[in-house]
Amino acid sequence: MKVFNTLSGQKEDFLPHGDEVRMYVCGVTPYSDAHLGHAMSYIYFDAIQRYLQFHGYRVKYVQNITDIDDKIIDRAARLGVPARELAEQYINGYFDDMDALNIRRADIYPRATEEIPEMLKIIQSLVTKGYAYPAQGSIYFRVKNVPDYGKLSHRNLDSMTARVRIEPGDEKENPMDFVLWKATKPNEPSWDSPWGPGRPGWHIECSAMSVKYLGETIDIHGGGQDLIFPHHENEIAQSESFTGKKPFVKYWLHNGLLQLDEEKMSKSLGNLVTIKETLKKYRADTIRIFILHSHYRTPLTYDEGTLEASGVALRAFSDAKWKLSEPYAEINRSISEAQGTKTDGTTPANKYRNRFISAMDNDFNTPQAIAVLFDLAQDINRAVNLNHADKVIEHRNIFIELAGVLGLVLPEPERESLTLDIKELTEIKGLTIAQIKRENLEYLLEKTTTNHNVENTEGHINYLKELRDALRKDKKFKLADEIRTRLYGVGIVLEDTPKGTVPKRKQ
RNA sequence: GGCGACGUAGCCAAGUGGUUAAGGCGGCGGUCUGCAAAACCGCUAUUCACCGGUUCGAAUCCGGUCGUCGCCUCCA
């Protein structure tokens, strides 16, 4: 298995320290709703975590929550609520989003405000060792004491310093020094420290949490490419100076950033689409296919056309997975009972699993992994067409397994609910086809097309379907087709199969 | 200015030295169907931004040009 390591700039063999992979991914600062860029990053790392487990590793996954920082304080002050309360609200929203996207929870979500003692311990040690110095109640990290500072972002102090503007009144020794502990300002949350009241700088929490929960050297540290500098660079400097052990992280994995139009999607630029908004228009699986169909290190552009295409792809996956359900169930059940259905890992279908593994072993190539799913889906459909039940079941099992590794749910379409009975229909239901008057049909179509409340339209749809079946039997195709067309107009597709008509929602 | 990445069909997107350049969306033709839809079958890049070079051989390596993006300030 190979992974691309930002530190070396190359693909390297993945050799974790033990049979448990220790993985840390930078989490969010909860002061507003998470956007699709966050979803992208966490979906990638979710797929990585799932794949590592599929591969046979145990994984210990830690993700921090920066629940105290300038933006939280500003926003809370503007809204007149305590910072803690604001953070709590958006942390809950964040977890709702992650759950809705079927992103597995990390094992531990440490919060900055609950890890202050750990951070102070590290800061104290850094001061003692000369890697940090106090200035006006704050503590700064002394970057020039770290000879290999810049190794992750592949730059050196001189080139960085040349570009930095020196701000007047800056108490730093060197403009590249960064704050470990911020002296408190009036009306801000603060914690006691040996240097007076204050709050932690941003970078220190990750060092503290990583060391505390995963140890002094971990296997994977992930995040967006925008975190490489300064955040991760500074984490390395702090952590390695504190522990005296290198490397702090064996493999640095960074995902490319989501673009909106010509720019990076970001909170500070304000050009974003939140996860909640996106989930109103697209299913979680659709979003996942949209994201995973591009490699994690490549930037991806938010595009509704591409999302729509992902939705179409999802429909194909879903249909392939549920071929054994109505109306195919009966056919396939009889065949499978007659022929038996064992799958033992040496079947021809296993070549798909091997292709999937080769793809994912090569720096988590999810686009290729998804291509394998398409090929599998095609094989399932071919087997269904030929009534080869053994083959259907064998391929379907692998399909479901591999789709699951990518975190795709592919839930069964809800068809039972189409049998709801609606009061207004009962009086019409007694009529025979010969008695159906144009007005009755118009009435039903009107009911269906104007009422977009799903609960109340199911019964209408189902009745229209029955009506249409009867019309088709009577060869009244013009009217039957009109029903189909009108339903299509409100997002209902009627598919006629040899075993009957299946109503489906357009994706 | 420094560092990093990218430019592959109408669109999205793999491939990074060697048989016919994955896969998806869209489009076209066919099978099936009363007609559709879905599914299946076939077609849809002699060519990988452009110009040079290395090589028996390059989309893949090297140099240059043009264009795009990210980081260098908080940011997944």
Side-chain angles (χ1 to χ4, degrees), chain A residues 136-153:
Chain A
Q136 303 186 12
S138 294
I139 305 292
Y140 291 93
F141 189 88
R142 186 175 277 133
V143 161
K144 74 169 177 3
N145 280 15
V146 178
D148 58 5
Y149 186 75
K151 64 184 171 186
L152 181 69
S153 50

Side-chain angles (χ1 to χ4, degrees), chain A residues 5-118:
Chain A
N5 189 351
T6 306
L7 190 60
S8 64
Q10 292 179 325
K11 278 185 199 170
E12 299 176 15
D13 285 322
F14 182 67
L15 303 165
H17 289 80
D19 62 346
E20 182 176 70
V21 175
R22 287 163 292 178
M23 171 161 137
Y24 186 102
V25 175
C26 283
V28 289
T29 302
Y31 68 92
S32 61
D33 283 330
H35 59 71
L36 209 57
H38 298 109
M40 176 174 164
S41 190
Y42 300 123
I43 284 173
Y44 283 135
F45 285 104
D46 181 58
I48 287 171
Q49 181 201 21
R50 286 170 191 264
Y51 183 68
L52 290 171
Q53 287 171 344
F54 170 79
H55 202 280
Y57 291 113
R58 284 185 296 127
V59 178
K60 188 171 182 187
Y61 180 7
V62 175
Q63 186 177 117
N64 65 300
I65 294 173
T66 307
D67 62 348
I68 186 70
D69 105 320
D70 291 349
K71 286 182 174 139
I72 295 176
I73 293 169
D74 290 349
R75 185 101 200 263
R78 231 177 309 134
L79 296 173
V81 297
R84 193 187 180 83
E85 208 171 281
L86 183 87
E88 197 63 38
Q89 177 194 333
Y90 284 108
I91 288 169
N92 290 335
Y94 172 70
F95 283 132
D96 289 345
D97 290 344
M98 294 299 105
D99 291 348
L101 290 169
N102 192 36
I103 291 168
R104 274 201 206 153
R105 296 286 182 103
D107 296 293
I108 307 169
Y109 286 96
R111 300 183 185 192
T113 56
E114 291 168 10
E115 306 292 340
I116 306 278
E118 301 298 319

Side-chain angles (χ1 to χ4, degrees), chain A residues 454-469:
Chain A
V454 177
E455 284 290 307
N456 294 327
T457 52
E458 302 284 19
H460 298 275
I461 292 161
N462 191 50
Y463 186 61
L464 284 166
K465 182 184 84 72
E466 287 174 16
L467 202 56
R468 181 169 165 276
D469 288 342

Side-chain angles (χ1 to χ4, degrees), chain A residues 322-337:
Chain A
W322 294 105
K323 280 294 185 193
L324 292 190
S325 65
E326 298 299 337
Y328 300 94
E330 217 176 298
I331 311 167
N332 287 302
R333 204 175 296 125
S334 57
I335 295 171
S336 67
E337 278 167 8

